[in-house]
Structure formats: C-alpha cells, structure tokens
Amino acid sequence: MSANPTQDQKTSAVFTHSKNTARPQITITVLAGLEQGQIHKIDRPTTTFGRSSTCEVLLMDPLVSRHHCQILLGMDGVTLKDLSSTHGTYLNGTRVMEGAVQNKDVISVGNTRFRFAVDIVKDGDNTKTQKVDELAHKKLLALYEIGNLVNSALELKTLLNIIMTMAIRALQANRGFLLTRQEDGELKPVATHSLTPGEAQSPYSLTIIEAVLKEKTPILVLDALQDVRFGNRESLKNLPLSSAICVPLWERGKIIGVIYVDKAEGTLAFNEEDLYFLSTFANQAVVAIWNAK
C-alpha cells in the first residue's frame, strides 16, 4: 500500500514493507450500538470481539456472544472470522463464517455495527493515536462499570457520587453535576464532582440546562463564548468553562434530571464522540438510579 486511498476507493488491507516511515494503521469505529463512537486500534495478530472480559474488544450488546468473532492480521491481508456465535457475524450485510476485510467495510454483530478502516500514518503520529486509544478505553470501561452498578445494593447518594466520578474520569472533564427533579418540580444538584474544591463552588450553566429541557435533546457546546445558540450571554462569560455537554435523564418518557459536565478554558474541547458516550452512559445511569430508589 503505497498511497492513501481516495474517499470512494475500497482498498484491500494487504501489508507490505515500506522504505519510508509511513505504515498502515487499522481502526474499528463503532457506528451503532451501546459503544457508539468508540474507536479501537487493531494491532494484534488476533483480536477477539465479545461480551467476555477476556476479549480484546469488550461489547455489552446482549445479542453478542461471549466470544463472538475475531479479526486476524496476516501478511496476505485481514480476515474476519465468526466464532460459532449465536446470532452470526455479518460483513457488509452478508452473514459470513470467514471472509477477507477491505477498507471501509462494515461489520455487524448483534445490534452493533463497526466500520473497518486502514490509514497510512507517519511514526510521529503514534503519540496522538495512543492518547485517543486511552480515552476510548476509559469510556468503554465506564460503560462496563455502570452496567455492573445496575443491580448493585449501593445507597442512593453513594451511587450518584460514583456515577459522576466515572463520567468525569472518562471524559476528562473539570466538573460534573447530576441534577434531578424534586417534588416541587425544580432541578437540583444531588451529586457534584470537580478537579478542585474551587471549581465545585462555581455555578453551572442554567442556560445550557434549560435548553436541554426545552429541546428534550442532548447538547454539546464546543465554545461557550462563541456558540450562536446562546447569543454570547453574559451568564456564560462569567462561568469557568469553555466547553460543555448536558444530556437528559429519561424515565418512562419524562425527563427526571440531567448530567452536566464542562471543561475550563485552555483544555481540549468536547466532541461528538463525547456526546454519544455521555448519552449512552446516562441511559444506563437512570436504570441504576431507579433500582437504588
């Protein structure tokens, strides 16, 4: 593979020796499913997908077998192999037991879909790639852990604090607030997590929270001072934040609260992948909260 494929090419993932420092890098991006938005780098000879904790790529999809399928890297290319799964492994919509994988192919297992991609990267880009992988792993681990909390016997306040701690760590946010609707109908914070005590005392953005309640949809704010949706409101300018995410907590068709996280100026802004993660995380958090009540 001597050059980057164009956008509409389907390039076979065959490994050849290169005289320069460029090399092929394989990634799997989750397009749909509980882990939507997660990105996994494939660099082992064998990578196993499934619900078992022994799998290199852990999936929480209930329709995925414990050891569902494998991606095998060889000198002749990449092979997708089904491991006698219950619901099968699909390559571009066709069920396969074993098949060659090409650039931009779509793999489906249960309710989860992946996009297979091969890119040419320079060795100097490796540090950034490793950072992305670490963040993706933290998010995947957080989803796995919140799933384990669903049937836990934790006291409600303890559970709420754990939920916010997990969200902050996975997103590398500065602050996080979990607000729930009280008997008087008002939303009030029931759990707060921040990197410093001073940040915890600063107010969160009611403007953003009210927008989530009104539009009934998650909101991602890339730049709080420039976001045209909020008209450069003075209330936002006075807060210690540059980027924020707020997602609703749904219960039986009603919003019972929100999870709100933000980052301080000078830090890397949140992105769409972070929004997908927190939305999925919040859905599982609601189940855990309901059970704890």
Side-chain angles (χ1 to χ4, degrees):
M1 193 177 304
S2 58
N4 267 320
T6 59
Q7 183 148 356
D8 56 356
Q9 284 180 320
K10 288 199 62 159
T11 308
S12 178
V14 176
F15 298 95
T16 58
H17 179 70
S18 175
K19 294 181 180 179
N20 55 33
T21 58
R23 56 187 173 79
Q25 175 179 286
I26 296 176
T27 57
I28 290 287
T29 302
V30 185
L31 303 176
L34 293 175
E35 291 81 18
Q36 184 180 32
Q38 299 297 316
I39 301 174
H40 304 277
K41 183 173 69 174
I42 306 299
D43 55 8
R44 299 166 175 260
T46 301
T47 300
T48 304
F49 296 71
R51 289 189 294 108
S52 171
S53 59
T54 61
C55 295
E56 285 77 29
V57 178
L58 180 64
L59 302 174
M60 299 178 65
D61 188 333
L63 296 182
V64 168
S65 299
R66 286 179 54 79
H67 296 89
H68 196 104
C69 64
Q70 289 179 331
I71 285 183
L72 310 174
L73 306 187
M75 293 304 295
D76 295 329
V78 182
T79 302
L80 173 66
K81 181 179 181 181
D82 183 77
L83 299 177
S84 301
S85 64
T86 302
H87 297 286
T89 300
Y90 293 80
L91 181 60
N92 298 322
T94 301
R95 186 166 183 170
V96 297
M97 290 304 298
E98 188 170 317
V101 188
Q102 296 181 324
N103 192 31
K104 299 184 180 180
D105 277 349
V106 174
I107 301 168
S108 302
V109 292
N111 290 321
T112 304
R113 287 190 295 118
F114 306 92
R115 182 177 62 238
F116 175 90
V118 181
D119 295 304
I120 301 299
V121 299
K122 296 180 180 179
D123 287 338
D125 296 335
N126 195 44
T127 301
K128 182 178 180 180
T129 301
Q130 289 178 349
K131 188 66 174 177
V132 171
D133 290 342
E134 291 172 6
L135 294 177
H137 177 72
K138 286 182 179 180
K139 292 173 184 174
L140 184 61
L141 183 60
L143 290 174
Y144 179 73
E145 290 176 341
I146 190 69
N148 289 336
L149 290 176
V150 168
N151 295 315
S152 68
L154 291 172
E155 188 266 335
L156 180 59
K157 184 173 180 58
T158 300
L159 174 65
L160 295 174
N161 287 326
I162 291 176
I163 288 172
M164 284 315 305
T165 299
M166 291 166 57
I168 289 292
R169 289 177 178 173
L171 291 169
Q172 293 192 330
N174 284 73
R175 307 186 308 159
F177 300 86
L178 195 158
L179 300 90
T180 59
R181 198 175 296 281
Q182 306 300 303
E183 292 183 0
D184 59 5
E186 294 295 319
L187 282 184
K188 294 183 180 180
V190 293
T192 301
H193 187 90
S194 63
L195 297 182
T196 68
E199 289 175 331
Q201 300 303 318
S202 299
Y204 43 82
S205 174
L206 286 174
T207 300
I208 296 174
I209 291 175
E210 288 171 355
V212 169
L213 297 177
K214 179 180 179 180
E215 298 175 18
K216 294 181 171 54
T217 186
I219 285 182
L220 165 65
V221 179
L222 297 174
D223 188 335
L225 299 183
Q226 301 298 325
D227 197 311
V228 296
R229 292 174 295 179
F230 306 111
N232 294 331
R233 295 191 184 182
E234 290 296 327
S235 59
L236 286 180
K237 294 181 180 180
N238 296 327
L239 297 179
L241 68 95
S242 63
S243 181
I245 298 177
C246 186
V247 300
L249 295 172
W250 288 94
E251 183 181 284
R252 298 180 180 178
K254 296 181 179 180
I255 297 178
I256 64 166
V258 298
I259 293 180
Y260 168 100
V261 295
D262 62 27
K263 287 189 175 185
E265 289 186 75
T267 58
L268 189 64
F270 293 121
N271 55 38
E272 291 287 345
E273 181 185 324
D274 296 325
L275 180 67
Y276 293 142
F277 160 76
L278 193 58
S279 297
T280 303
F281 182 86
N283 290 338
Q284 297 190 55
V286 168
V287 179
I289 292 170
W290 173 258
N291 289 343
K293 286 181 178 180

